[in-house]
Amino acid sequence: MLPGKLHEPGDCRAISEVLSRVGDKWTVLVVSTLGQGPKRFNELRKALGSISQRMLTLTLRALERDGLVTRTVYPTIPPRVEYELTSLGCSLLDPVNSLSTWARKNRPAMEEARRRFDTAEGKSAA
């Protein structure tokens, strides 16, 4: 996509829609976790730590709806359900991992910039 086309209404809506799905906190963490292989619901929940059951359910449904995750139910008693990245979901791993690497590398610089900004704002408010 050419930079000049980023502000065309149709392109802008499409980009915003995709970024709202793939850019939320839980989506990034679920995609990263499923990048290690198929997982059952409770395996995902344990791996993600602080996610609620409801939020994980909503996130997985949204990812499934968007074609990023498949849900497989095995006919056992009790039923066993696994979640796995689709090929489209796997194609998201590189950008997600790159963003994670960038975030870890640049977080200290951003924290320092916030500190400087907040200090300057405090001086100008006085």
Side-chain angles (χ1 to χ4, degrees), residues 28-94:
V28 168
L29 293 173
V30 167
V31 167
S32 293
T33 302
L34 289 176
Q36 300 162 15
K39 300 268 186 277
R40 294 175 74 171
F41 187 90
N42 283 329
E43 288 178 299
L44 276 170
R45 197 158 167 218
K46 285 176 189 169
L48 298 174
S50 62
I51 192 169
S52 69
Q53 182 172 335
R54 175 172 161 63
M55 184 52 67
L56 181 54
T57 298
L58 292 173
T59 302
L60 287 167
R61 283 184 183 162
L63 290 169
E64 185 179 7
R65 181 174 183 248
D66 289 340
L68 299 169
V69 167
T70 58
R71 178 180 183 268
T72 305
V73 180
Y74 295 94
T76 59
I77 298 175
R80 184 171 60 104
V81 179
E82 282 188 349
Y83 296 89
E84 184 174 14
L85 292 178
T86 63
S87 59
L88 182 61
C90 286
S91 73
L92 185 56
L93 282 172
D94 281 342

Side-chain angles (χ1 to χ4, degrees), residues 17-32:
E17 182 181 315
V18 170
L19 287 178
S20 72
R21 163 56 38 232
V22 301
D24 87 32
K25 169 186 175 178
W26 295 118
T27 293
V28 168
L29 293 173
V30 167
V31 167
S32 293

